[in-house]
Amino acid sequence: MPDLVYTRNKTAFDYLFTIINSNENNCTSADPDNEAAILCGYRVMEYLAPHLTAQPLPTEDGELAVDNYEQALQELRAWYANHQSDYGILEEGY
């Protein structure tokens, strides 16, 4: 996923948004003590959000800065539903 974000390609970003909108638990938690499957959207959201213009989630130093991942995922999904044809991609910073 980081490689797809690195491309700054709208088609790749659209694909990543399909993962964000999926409700399948196909990824593992970043917590090594918790091997439970989680929504891949959480992981993709971490990679993608700092590289979108005018998206609703706070970022700090190029990283997602949220405490409530469930709420943040819902906000990003709603934002994308309204901006899927006109969202911008930040070109600077890798």
Side-chain angles (χ1 to χ4, degrees):
M1 287 182 236
D3 291 341
L4 291 177
V5 173
Y6 180 82
T7 67
R8 302 301 198 270
N9 177 285
K10 186 162 183 351
T11 302
F13 275 46
D14 287 341
Y15 169 72
L16 293 172
F17 272 112
T18 64
I19 296 170
I20 285 174
N21 285 306
S22 172
N23 287 318
E24 295 183 36
N25 294 333
N26 290 332
C27 290
T28 56
S29 170
D31 179 358
D33 295 328
N34 182 4
E35 295 183 15
I38 62 168
L39 293 175
C40 292
Y42 295 130
R43 302 298 297 230
V44 175
M45 176 178 65
E46 290 177 325
Y47 293 122
L48 195 61
H51 304 288
L52 298 169
T53 61
Q55 57 84 15
L57 305 178
T59 60
E60 187 174 300
D61 297 325
E63 295 193 20
L64 189 61
V66 297
D67 293 325
N68 186 331
Y69 269 59
E70 291 177 21
Q71 179 181 350
L73 184 62
Q74 294 308 316
E75 287 178 31
L76 190 59
R77 285 175 171 178
W79 175 83
Y80 179 71
N82 291 317
H83 297 281
Q84 57 187 319
S85 64
D86 66 355
Y87 69 86
I89 299 170
L90 295 172
E91 296 293 329
E92 66 275 348
Y94 288 94

